Amino acid sequence: MERIILTKYIIITGGVVSSIGKGITSASIGRLLRSYGLRVSAIKIDPYLNWDSGTLNPYQHGEVFVTYDGMETDLDLGHYERFLDVELPGISNITTGKVYSSVINKERRGDYLGACVQIIPHITDEIKRMIRNAATLKNFDVVLVELGGTVGDIESQPFLEALRQLRNEEGSQNVMFVHVTYVPYLEAAKEFKTKPTQHSTKELRSTGIAPDMIVCRSPSPIDEGLQAKIANFCDVDENAVVNTPDAKSIYEVPLVLDKNNVGEFIVNRIHLDVKPDSAKLDEWRGVVKSLEIQEPVVNIGIVGKYVELEDAYISIRESLQHGAAKVGVKMNITYISADVEHLDTKVLDELDGILIPGGFGERGFEGKLEAVEYAIENEVPIFGICLGMQSMVTQFARRNGLEDANSTEFGNDFKHPVIDLMEEQKKIKNMGGTMRLGSYDCKLVPGTKTYEAYKELGGIFKDTNLIEERHRHRYEFNNDYREILQEKGLVLSGVSPDDFLVEIVELPNHPWFIGCQFHPEFKSRPNRPHPLFTSFVDAAYNYSKK
């Protein structure tokens, strides 16, 4: 008989400024509770009106994370998956767009029986329904709910009201609130200031929500006197004021929370039937220690078009760190803009490996092709992901007689469209949610470098030589050029199970030249690095020793 669980909710809100680490705080709390053996899931609420993150500009919002079931979501779901070592469904990302769309559809169907549809109760009820729907999906013990933005934002008000109602309906013993704030240090005064935290907490309390715990972010540690002051002015227990100063690595945060007895406080506050045990984080401590390696150093260059904002490639950055820890080296990443007239070869000369990430649009494409050419000519390990793989195929074709090789994403008059739109995509006009999204099977070819990487470095085969990876793209390798490019030496080391779509390419006579149409960075974990990233970093390390 299936165990019936009364799900507990931990709501994480933020104040003072955005981007202070609510996502990492949420993920770290989840890591603590997971170490106790609890079934933990997470939800991210984004108050923007977009239906999902798919059409958001990476410069403004960072990376678009893709779930296994094909939802384009906020990058915080990537943090949750990496810290919790779980796979979250698309319903774990709730947006204002989804909420209002659902309510309007119900109104059009007549579900409200002619009632005047209002923010309260209809919108707030829909928010609660979505939260509970995600919570009951797999009978979770605890669900973390992070509310994006900051308290006081107009767009957050319906969500705060819904969360207040959720506490009342589920019972205060089953719902707790964690408020994340920023405690700035004023250099001129040589002291920390708690007033922003006081005002932020007051703003939260004005919505009817009193925080149970306050997590104070700060550039450096604050003393116990300041913590006592915050507890007094914000009306929380002193042991519920937790300081998380800037850390060398985000993966240290669960250990900081553990040191501050956060796990014990949460267990007692919402009556969880477990015994907190710091020793259960020993595996995580090992992960953190492996990430602290200082030498030898491997230098990887990410050649992309959104390099001004590192968060645009956050999963790739973290996956490289995971692979480096596994290999036993320190990862040094250089971000190189592909959107230049010509790449600086002096910068490329300093690299041990080149990674070309995914992206959309023609801007920067020729710069990526230059990076591929450099890697081939100088036998530098190179890893291409999505558009990165397409760049590798295009440049390989150009240097092997197909001088006009290109992608039809950038025009329709090329003589050799080695990358082309899938037939079913040619009829689609909308941008949002119209790509090949989510997990698909891929059949690996035995004897290839890709196959050996998965086999030797912890890749999990679904069935003999089948793997499962996440996609986010419209364009594909053009099958009309399969035979031609294979004759020139390109190896198709991974294809769809029906042998129709090319998923992975490689060059056998190159130290490490692998491109994949999927996004392996979405499945890498600090305790389980993705095999392709580990193999790539290892090849780069071997190159650095030459």
Side-chain angles (χ1 to χ4, degrees):
M1 184 175 179
E2 186 178 2
R3 183 167 62 116
I4 303 300
I5 295 174
L6 178 62
T7 300
K8 310 283 187 172
Y9 296 90
I10 301 176
I11 317 296
I12 296 92
T13 59
V16 185
V17 293
S18 60
S19 301
I20 57 173
K22 293 192 305 297
I24 298 299
T25 300
S26 302
S28 297
I29 289 173
R31 180 68 262 169
L32 272 181
L33 300 179
R34 279 272 288 161
S35 73
Y36 302 157
L38 294 169
R39 291 165 57 88
V40 183
S41 187
I43 296 170
K44 174 64 185 296
I45 295 175
D46 285 302
Y48 48 67
L49 279 167
N50 302 65
W51 197 84
D52 64 17
S53 300
T55 57
L56 293 176
N57 190 323
Y59 282 127
Q60 297 180 17
H61 202 72
E63 169 190 87
V64 174
F65 188 82
V66 179
T67 59
Y68 70 87
D69 57 354
M71 183 66 70
E72 296 170 285
T73 72
D74 182 83
L75 60 81
D76 277 320
L77 264 72
H79 290 314
Y80 303 157
E81 287 206 2
R82 285 187 285 272
F83 277 68
L84 300 180
D85 195 10
V86 297
E87 288 197 329
L88 297 173
I91 58 175
S92 290
N93 193 194
I94 299 172
T95 67
T96 297
K98 287 181 181 178
V99 173
Y100 276 72
S101 178
S102 179
V103 169
I104 290 171
N105 286 337
K106 289 178 179 180
E107 185 272 332
R108 292 289 81 191
R109 290 198 306 264
D111 292 6
Y112 298 123
L113 302 176
C116 180
V117 179
Q118 298 176 294
I119 301 298
I120 302 172
H122 301 97
I123 294 297
T124 51
D125 282 352
E126 184 64 20
I127 293 168
K128 290 180 292 183
R129 185 196 68 79
M130 288 184 170
I131 291 173
R132 289 182 172 119
N133 187 36
T136 57
L137 188 65
K138 291 185 178 179
N139 217 12
F140 294 109
D141 297 292
V142 180
V143 173
L144 303 157
V145 183
E146 177 196 346
L147 176 59
T150 58
V151 172
D153 295 342
I154 292 175
E155 58 265 33
S156 296
Q157 291 177 3
F159 292 101
L160 287 168
E161 171 60 21
L163 293 169
R164 184 193 68 79
Q165 294 177 16
L166 182 74
R167 177 201 60 196
N168 292 345
E169 293 169 10
E170 297 290 329
S172 61
Q173 72 276 15
N174 298 316
V175 180
M176 71 171 286
F177 285 86
V178 177
H179 192 49
V180 183
T181 72
Y182 186 64
V183 181
Y185 181 79
L186 298 187
E187 186 63 37
K190 302 295 182 184
E191 63 178 345
F192 287 99
K193 291 296 182 180
T194 65
K195 193 64 71 176
T197 294
Q198 295 177 43
H199 279 293
S200 175
T201 305
K202 181 180 180 181
E203 184 75 30
L204 180 63
R205 293 173 69 89
S206 71
T207 68
I209 297 171
D212 300 285
M213 175 180 288
I214 297 176
V215 175
C216 301
R217 293 280 293 106
S218 60
S220 56
I222 64 176
D223 60 36
E224 292 182 0
L226 281 176
Q227 289 182 249
K229 180 179 179 181
I230 291 170
N232 184 38
F233 279 90
C234 297
D235 195 26
V236 298
D237 295 338
E238 282 193 32
N239 62 341
V241 177
V242 179
N243 180 215
T244 56
D246 292 348
K248 291 181 292 184
S249 164
I250 58 175
Y251 301 109
E252 292 181 15
V253 179
L255 304 182
V256 174
L257 297 184
D258 179 63
K259 188 176 180 180
N260 283 273
N261 300 314
V262 168
E264 182 178 357
F265 182 92
I266 291 173
V267 166
N268 292 331
R269 169 62 185 79
I270 53 178
H271 309 288
L272 291 167
D273 188 21
V274 293
K275 181 176 176 59
D277 185 354
S278 183
K280 292 182 178 179
L281 279 171
D282 286 347
E283 180 189 5
W284 194 259
R285 289 188 181 89
V287 169
V288 173
K289 186 176 181 180
S290 66
L291 289 164
E292 293 175 346
I293 295 172
Q294 295 300 307
E295 57 181 20
V297 177
V298 168
N299 298 293
I300 300 296
I302 295 179
V303 181
K305 62 187 289 188
Y306 308 116
V307 294
E308 293 85 355
L309 181 66
E310 292 185 14
D311 276 2
Y313 303 117
I314 193 167
S315 287
I316 286 177
R317 182 188 71 197
E318 296 306 308
S319 298
L320 286 170
Q321 299 285 1
H322 304 163
K326 179 76 171 181
V327 174
V329 298
K330 177 180 175 59
M331 177 55 55
N332 180 50
I333 299 174
T334 301
Y335 292 90
I336 303 168
S337 175
D339 186 24
V340 292
E341 186 175 354
H342 292 292
L343 293 180
D344 186 350
T345 55
K346 292 183 180 179
V347 175
L348 299 180
D349 288 342
E350 299 298 318
L351 302 176
D352 304 314
I354 297 171
L355 191 150
I356 304 180
F360 298 92
E362 187 174 11
R363 183 172 62 84
F365 187 64
E366 291 297 326
K368 294 178 180 182
L369 298 186
E370 285 189 31
V372 175
E373 181 65 19
Y374 178 91
I376 294 175
E377 286 293 326
N378 295 277
E379 296 192 330
V380 180
I382 182 169
F383 189 7
I385 296 174
C386 200
L387 183 60
M389 169 202 157
Q390 296 173 7
S391 303
M392 296 165 85
V393 171
T394 301
Q395 186 60 23
F396 178 83
R398 287 186 182 184
R399 62 182 280 122
N400 283 279
L402 308 180
E403 295 180 1
D404 191 42
N406 216 314
S407 168
T408 56
E409 181 180 358
F410 314 133
N412 296 311
D413 56 350
F414 300 118
K415 184 178 179 181
H416 297 294
V418 293
I419 305 297
D420 197 9
L421 199 64
M422 294 184 291
E423 283 299 320
E424 59 266 33
Q425 294 284 354
K426 292 182 179 179
K427 301 176 183 178
I428 295 175
K429 302 301 180 183
N430 291 337
M431 291 181 65
T434 57
M435 295 177 282
R436 186 150 76 105
L437 290 164
S439 291
Y440 288 85
D441 286 346
C442 173
K443 180 174 62 177
L444 300 182
V445 177
T448 60
K449 290 181 180 178
T450 303
Y451 181 91
E452 294 304 317
Y454 276 89
K455 182 180 178 181
E456 296 178 7
L457 297 171
I460 299 175
F461 292 92
K462 288 187 65 180
D463 179 24
T464 61
N465 60 338
L466 282 183
I467 59 170
E468 187 178 61
E469 296 286 357
R470 301 184 197 178
H471 291 248
R472 184 181 184 242
H473 61 99
R474 291 186 180 88
Y475 292 80
E476 302 275 0
F477 185 110
N478 189 341
N479 284 330
D480 291 343
Y481 291 89
R482 265 196 183 192
E483 187 174 339
I484 298 172
L485 295 180
Q486 284 180 293
E487 288 176 354
K488 299 294 184 181
L490 190 68
V491 172
L492 311 183
S493 50
V495 295
S496 58
D498 61 3
D499 202 40
F500 182 69
L501 299 173
V502 175
E503 304 281 35
I504 313 172
V505 300
E506 63 179 65
L507 289 181
N509 56 349
H510 189 278
W512 209 93
F513 183 103
I514 295 178
C516 57
Q517 186 60 75
F518 49 81
H519 289 266
E521 67 270 25
F522 294 148
K523 295 188 69 173
S524 187
R525 308 284 186 260
N527 56 317
R528 289 189 298 112
H530 193 283
L532 286 182
F533 279 94
T534 303
S535 180
F536 171 59
V537 173
D538 186 58
Y541 173 52
N542 290 329
Y543 178 84
S544 73
K545 294 189 292 185
K546 292 183 179 180

